[in-house]
Amino acid sequence: MEVKIGVQNVARELVLDASGTEDEIETAVRSALDGGALVLTDDRGRRVMVPAGSLGYVEVGEPSRGRVGFGA
């Protein structure tokens, strides 16, 4: 599942392919907002930790495929 994380006062967003379902990721975000840090693991086993107070936004969804042709 592709996850985009916006961090306050940082120009670039974090993008990772997280393991787990959309519901599991949403649960992790909600529990992080109660206090602590958002901790997600990507498909390669790397962990990303963001303090909850620094979260700007979290976008969860499948990656969009590039369109080809004149109608793109």
Side-chain angles (χ1 to χ4, degrees):
M1 184 70 54
E2 183 178 83
V3 179
K4 294 181 183 179
I5 303 171
V7 181
Q8 294 179 9
N9 301 319
V10 177
R12 297 181 69 180
E13 61 189 12
L14 301 172
V15 179
L16 66 137
D17 289 324
S19 58
T21 65
E22 188 173 342
D23 292 333
E24 293 171 343
I25 295 169
E26 182 179 348
T27 301
V29 171
R30 288 184 186 274
S31 65
L33 292 176
D34 290 336
L38 173 62
V39 180
L40 296 174
T41 304
D42 71 358
D43 291 340
R44 297 181 186 172
R46 295 180 292 187
R47 296 172 92 193
V48 175
M49 295 173 263
V50 180
S54 298
L55 288 175
Y57 64 90
V58 178
E59 182 180 318
V60 180
E62 292 295 322
S64 60
R65 301 201 181 260
R67 295 180 1 187
V68 178
F70 294 107

